[in-house]
Amino acid sequence: RRTQTLGIIMFEPEGDVITQACRNKETGDFSVGSRLAFHHEKISSFRKTDHKRIIIRCPRLTELISGTKNQVGDMIPSAENGNFSRYVFYELDEENDEWQDVFAEAGETVEDMYDAVGKEYYEKVYLPLSKRKQPLPFVFTVEQRDEFNAFFRVLQKEQTSMLGGEIKATVRRLGLITFRLAMTLSVLRLAETDVDVSTMETLVCDDRDFRIAMEMSNVLISHATSVYTNLLNHPQKHYTAPAEGMKLAEKMIMEKLNKRFTRKEYLKAAAECGVCEKSADRYLGQLQNRYKLAIRVQNGIFEMLK
């Protein structure tokens, strides 16, 4: 049976529901379909019970999943099968212990807000685009392409030096995700213009949307590496307390650093402590993702939290 859909948006507030779906022998492994859908690759499934074959030739799937840290680890136990690199992660702050007034009067509900926004963009953006006979190509400017390539070239080298080759797929797919974010923002911005979408030959990325997408990727890589280091099965020991298991050499390097420092400054301090570059890069990764004592501000620049 051939199925054609415009797209599916899936909201799931409990990550363990996805975990159970991945283990369901009747419907097949959900993670396989999820991985294929990320690149719009054909999904085919054969049901033995009723002898039906289902084919989705160009799947379009968006997933929004929330859950606890344990649910994330159960849903994506490792980074090896490629599922991890196809998601973006955002860890919410858990330090807010204040009780919220559950009886406070609310104004517009979330559902009402989304309905209003959805109606606006449906009329101003979706309908004009749906009437086009040909797809609308989306492109970066030459300057945007150069900046994009330079950013991710440095990012890939930076992250692989700190976390190893397995993180490379995450960086590369984040590049694709960043392109898609810029494309989505540029399409939504059409609602602010009077351009006739039906006659447009090419949609060029607005510099504002390019900048927003790049800033988002700069934040998302830090959250992805934190999840990778602390939640997934990893050959190195997981630490739960700041500085737990920190080596003397790592502490000596920290004492030589300013509150804000560069990778070059970290490597120099490490060399002064007799630590080789390869070990120093690993220590720098642990300083951020394992011990939670520093954050990555941007490519090659870090800042101490304590």
Side-chain angles (χ1 to χ4, degrees):
R1 184 177 64 190
R2 296 185 179 182
T3 304
Q4 182 177 3
T5 60
L6 294 176
I8 297 175
I9 301 177
M10 185 184 75
F11 295 90
E12 181 49 63
E14 297 294 341
D16 53 4
V17 173
I18 304 299
T19 303
Q20 294 301 318
C22 291
R23 299 170 181 170
N24 192 322
K25 295 181 180 180
E26 174 65 20
T27 58
D29 189 340
F30 175 80
S31 68
V32 175
S34 181
R35 294 199 302 272
L36 292 171
F38 181 85
H39 290 292
H40 310 302
E41 297 173 319
K42 182 179 72 173
I43 298 175
S44 60
S45 176
F46 180 73
R47 295 173 59 93
K48 294 182 180 180
T49 54
D50 49 12
H51 301 286
K52 286 185 178 179
R53 187 172 186 83
I54 300 174
I55 298 176
I56 305 175
R57 299 204 173 275
C58 184
R60 301 174 180 89
L61 174 64
T62 297
E63 304 171 43
L64 179 60
I65 305 169
S66 62
T68 64
K69 291 183 177 181
N70 288 337
Q71 288 176 337
V72 174
D74 291 338
M75 186 180 74
I76 309 176
S78 75
E80 292 182 356
N81 70 357
N83 208 20
F84 172 75
S85 62
R86 286 165 166 82
Y87 287 92
V88 292
F89 298 88
Y90 195 90
E91 294 183 281
L92 296 176
D93 186 5
E94 298 179 352
E95 296 182 358
N96 185 5
D97 296 325
E98 294 184 8
W99 176 263
Q100 302 295 318
D101 183 359
V102 297
F103 303 107
E105 292 186 8
E108 185 182 33
T109 66
V110 174
E111 289 80 5
D112 293 338
M113 180 182 68
Y114 275 108
D115 285 343
V117 172
K119 183 179 180 180
E120 176 185 358
Y121 284 101
Y122 177 79
E123 295 174 349
K124 292 182 178 180
V125 179
Y126 176 78
L127 284 180
L129 285 173
S130 66
K131 294 177 182 178
R132 288 179 58 92
K133 295 181 179 180
Q134 297 294 331
L136 177 61
F138 171 76
V139 298
F140 281 169
T141 65
V142 174
E143 294 77 15
Q144 290 168 353
R145 294 176 192 176
D146 291 343
E147 182 177 342
F148 180 92
N149 286 327
F151 174 85
F152 280 98
R153 187 179 295 114
V154 173
L155 182 64
Q156 178 174 280
K157 183 177 180 180
E158 173 191 276
Q159 293 302 318
T160 53
S161 65
M162 291 189 293
L163 297 174
E166 284 189 356
I167 201 66
K168 190 181 296 182
T170 296
V171 176
R172 290 179 175 178
R173 287 203 169 95
L174 180 59
L176 173 55
I177 290 168
T178 303
F179 182 83
R180 289 175 174 177
L181 287 171
M183 178 169 55
T184 302
L185 292 170
S186 294
V187 169
L188 293 178
R189 193 173 293 279
L190 289 174
E192 303 175 0
T193 68
D194 296 325
V195 177
D196 185 357
V197 178
S198 62
T199 61
M200 288 182 66
E201 295 184 0
T202 304
L203 176 59
V204 180
C205 183
D206 188 287
D207 279 334
R208 292 168 293 178
D209 300 321
F210 176 78
R211 187 63 47 213
I212 292 171
M214 293 295 287
E215 288 296 329
M216 291 175 69
S217 67
N218 193 50
V219 172
L220 292 172
I221 188 61
S222 298
H223 289 263
T225 54
S226 177
V227 172
Y228 172 82
T229 305
N230 294 290
L231 299 184
L232 304 189
N233 290 333
H234 203 269
Q236 300 181 36
K237 179 180 177 182
H238 295 188
Y239 301 105
T240 56
E244 179 187 343
M246 181 177 282
K247 297 179 180 179
L248 177 60
E250 294 177 272
K251 296 179 181 179
M252 292 173 60
I253 297 171
M254 284 183 60
E255 293 176 355
K256 292 178 173 289
L257 300 172
N258 295 320
K259 181 176 177 60
R260 178 170 285 210
F261 60 94
T262 65
R263 175 177 177 269
K264 184 177 180 180
E265 291 169 342
Y266 188 92
L267 294 179
K268 180 181 178 181
E272 294 173 356
C273 296
V275 177
C276 68
E277 182 174 323
K278 185 176 181 180
S279 295
D281 274 322
R282 187 175 71 253
Y283 293 164
L284 179 56
Q286 293 179 165
L287 186 67
Q288 305 164 73
N289 302 309
R290 197 151 288 170
Y291 307 129
K292 304 293 186 182
L293 296 178
I295 59 172
R296 176 184 171 282
V297 179
Q298 61 187 63
N299 280 353
I301 301 179
F302 308 87
E303 188 172 294
M304 290 290 186
L305 295 177
K306 296 184 179 181

